[in-house]
Amino acid sequence: MHRFRSSLLSHHRCLHSLQNAGPLCSHLKSRSVIRFSGPDTIKFLQGLLSNDVRRFGEPPREENSPIPTPNVASVVVPPMYAALLTPQGRFLYDLFLYRPPRPEEKLDRTGSGPDNGSGGSVEILADVDNSISDELLATLKKYRLRSKVDIDNVAEDFSCWQRYGRDLSGKTPTVEEPEADSVGWGGGVDSAGKSASHSSDVGWQWFKDPRLDCLGFRGIFPSGTMPPLVESDKETDEENYLMWRLEKGIAEGSTEIPKGEAIPLEYNFAGLNAISFDKGCYVGQELIARTHHRGVIRKRLLPLKFLDNNGKEVEEKVTPGSEVINTASGKKLGSVTTALGFRGMGVLRLDDAFKDTLTLQGQEDIKVMAIRPDWWPAEWFQDQQHTAVA
């Protein structure tokens, strides 16, 4: 197994290696962690965020049970992806929400339990964009008013990690690597996993990424510890995780999703399980509901490739904000939102997005190829056909 350092590999070789690599892991230094706690936590988040946070207040379901392991919950609540919007329905911040297991849901050191404890106060951890974490905290505290909820920056205590790569889709950590069974206080094969579980009174573990199976697994772990199942030769630079997402057309964070401007449905948040359309009111809900029930999204975020006139990939020539045009009609289709190497993402009009006459304004020698993501629901392709007819 290689260590994938983009400083040592071209982006073209790097992407090829990623496509053929086994499970890789990146410490997401671009992400931070905040904590919500207190009796009004669920109610507070339910009125703010785009997803139905009430699930965190319900008893965990048995189908989410991992193999019984000391210091790991006997039943778990999967994480959730959600967004905080402006009152006008524009994107502000994205959050990966985790509900740590309560004491009565875990096995003790002897393998006994769970007990019948009361569980205490509700606590939610949120994986957020590090570049705007202070701003997000200030925004949340403005909304708090008299709600009995504490909001704390715990970035020094926790780190965010992602596991991804070939053959991870649709698998649980246990199926993927048998050593997953041993994470916890029990005798274990993976000493790093055992160390991580020893570091707190909460058992830390990987979860399927709540957006898509093809993104692998995500987790929050105590700072200074190596997550379970991560060997030194499987850790890779976070930039490679960005390359993995670029290939699939999945943006993350307020740097890649323009804060105060982006319309969540154009950034495919419905397909990323970030929006509940039947939860009731939340900040910005009116625009989301109206756009959704209208039925047609005319622009969407797409994976892009940048090529020269001979069809060869063009490295490091494109910057975010570059406008994409159709040379045949002269129409502006949208703009590039993220670029790295010969890959990028952009929000484009679907009626012309997949034509072979796309280029960049002012850089007509660079061709733009939009790619249909494999994970898109079939109805989105029907929307594209309806848009083209219109």
Side-chain angles (χ1 to χ4, degrees), residues 150-259:
D150 294 320
I151 309 169
D152 302 299
N153 185 341
V154 291
E156 293 186 2
D157 300 324
F158 299 101
S159 300
C160 305
W161 292 74
Q162 188 86 21
R163 299 188 76 229
Y164 55 99
R166 179 176 55 86
D167 296 336
L168 275 181
S169 298
K171 294 185 178 181
T172 66
T174 299
V175 171
E176 171 208 339
E177 298 188 51
E179 292 90 345
D181 295 358
S182 66
V183 177
W185 274 318
V189 175
D190 184 3
S191 59
K194 185 176 179 181
S195 173
S197 63
H198 268 303
S199 65
S200 174
D201 60 346
V202 176
W204 304 99
Q205 61 189 99
W206 291 104
F207 292 92
K208 282 188 178 181
D209 192 299
R211 296 167 295 177
L212 297 169
D213 280 354
C214 64
L215 291 173
F217 297 86
R218 199 173 181 105
I220 291 176
F221 298 93
S223 295
T225 63
M226 188 68 74
L229 311 179
V230 179
E231 301 167 11
S232 60
D233 62 351
K234 289 185 178 181
E235 185 182 356
T236 178
D237 194 275
E238 183 179 356
E239 197 171 75
N240 292 317
Y241 170 57
L242 171 57
M243 289 294 287
W244 187 257
R245 288 190 292 104
L246 288 177
E247 181 188 3
K248 293 160 178 55
I250 300 169
E252 183 176 301
S254 300
T255 302
E256 299 175 19
I257 310 171
K259 187 162 60 72

Side-chain angles (χ1 to χ4, degrees), residues 111-131:
S112 300
D115 63 33
N116 295 316
S118 61
S121 180
V122 176
E123 179 177 298
I124 301 292
L125 295 178
D127 158 352
V128 303
D129 188 332
N130 186 47
S131 68

Side-chain angles (χ1 to χ4, degrees), residues 294-300 331 333 348-355 376 379-390:
R294 190 175 62 198
V296 177
I297 310 298
R298 299 186 182 279
K299 296 189 295 181
R300 286 192 182 276
K331 288 170 50 178
L333 302 188
L348 305 183
R349 290 186 58 87
L350 295 177
D351 50 2
D352 283 347
F354 301 105
K355 295 183 178 178
W376 273 24
E379 57 265 27
W380 288 7
F381 293 104
Q382 296 171 2
D383 289 348
Q384 174 199 334
Q385 295 171 355
H386 294 159
T387 301
V389 171

Side-chain angles (χ1 to χ4, degrees), residues 54-64 75-78 99 102 104-105:
R54 291 174 297 183
R55 171 159 61 82
F56 289 125
E58 300 171 351
R61 294 176 294 185
E62 290 297 328
E63 58 263 34
N64 295 323
V75 286
V76 296
V77 180
R99 200 210 80 179
R102 298 165 179 168
E104 69 269 20
E105 295 167 354

